[in-house]
Amino acid sequence: MDVSKVADQITKVLVTEEQIKARVAELAAEIDAAYAGKELLLVGVLKGAVMFMADLSRAMQIPTQVDWMAVSSYGSGTVSSGVVRILKDLDADVLGRHVLIVEDIVDSGLTLSWLAHNLTNRGAVSVKVVALLRKPEAAKVDVNVEWIGFDLPNEFVVGYGLDYNENYRSLTSVAVLSPKVYS
Ligand code: IMP
């Protein structure tokens, strides 16, 4: 859906559809080069990373497998709870495999930090992260995010997979949600 359809509910567009497409192509090429000759399992974090995974995996030119995890993060609010719970686990066994976690956004980094440790403890050979978006808080966390699409200001955003109360995921761009929607 085009952002113009919900213009009254957003304050500004931060990343356009064209910018996402161009950056995803760059990330795909860098990741292809980094894993050349290796077998790679892409682990997407539901539901926010669905759009990013779909575009990134198709832009990549090395063979990959795709699997998904769902973990709890924000519930229905806009503040991180710090509590991580597996809602849906991987189908694949990561033992002995190279794993790339595909994340929509890193905010506090709590979710990612927990996930990276969890997959490492299951015996993955390597666990790296690509995140489309990063907020300023994430810089403080001890998680190695190898590839970042865009750095954002500290505002609540929706679109391209990201939601507020399950709405706005289908927007083609990333936009700041108007505070009047959640206050
Ligand atoms: P963290 O644990 O604080 O890094 O939060 C990560 C998760 O919270 C992301 O995977 C998103 O699902 C969600 N999240 C964080 N910031 C936003 C936002 O601005 N809009 C929508 N979801 C967000």
Side-chain angles (χ1 to χ4, degrees):
M1 184 202 273
D2 194 88
V3 82
S4 61
K5 303 284 188 258
V6 288
D8 58 326
Q9 294 150 58
I10 61 142
T11 53
K12 59 178 175 281
V13 173
L14 287 184
V15 193
T16 65
E17 189 176 353
E18 292 73 26
Q19 288 171 320
I20 294 171
K21 197 168 180 212
R23 187 71 185 116
V24 166
E26 289 174 357
L27 291 171
E30 288 177 26
I31 296 167
D32 277 344
Y35 290 97
K38 294 183 177 146
E39 286 187 16
L40 180 62
L41 176 67
L42 300 173
V43 170
V45 186
L46 292 169
K47 302 174 191 167
V50 166
M51 308 295 178
F52 184 37
M53 174 72 94
D55 289 342
L56 180 73
S57 61
R58 284 180 298 171
M60 288 175 65
Q61 301 301 322
I62 62 165
T64 54
Q65 292 187 351
V66 176
D67 204 349
W68 299 95
M69 277 183 86
V71 295
S72 65
S73 53
Y74 277 10
S76 61
T78 59
V79 180
S80 186
S81 65
V83 179
V84 179
R85 212 156 42 91
I86 296 180
L87 305 177
K88 184 230 171 279
D89 207 345
L90 295 174
D91 296 328
D93 185 354
V94 300
L95 182 68
R97 307 197 62 180
H98 294 284
V99 174
L100 180 64
I101 299 173
V102 179
E103 252 288 36
D104 50 0
I105 188 166
V106 194
D107 185 2
S108 73
L110 289 169
T111 311
L112 208 49
S113 167
W114 183 90
L115 204 54
H117 284 116
N118 182 283
L119 298 180
T120 302
N121 289 340
R122 298 188 201 188
V125 176
S126 71
V127 178
K128 294 187 178 178
V129 180
V130 55
L132 181 70
L133 306 166
R134 176 171 67 180
K135 291 202 197 168
E137 283 294 307
K140 299 179 192 163
V141 185
D142 183 26
V143 185
N144 224 356
V145 184
E146 265 76 14
W147 294 280
I148 298 281
F150 301 91
D151 275 302
L152 299 183
N154 200 14
E155 290 182 279
F156 194 80
V157 293
V158 293
Y160 197 70
L162 291 164
D163 76 309
Y164 174 68
N165 276 354
E166 296 301 327
N167 293 312
Y168 310 105
R169 290 194 198 274
S170 65
L171 294 178
T172 53
S173 50
V174 174
V176 178
L177 187 63
S178 171
K180 75 177 181 210
V181 176
Y182 54 80
S183 59

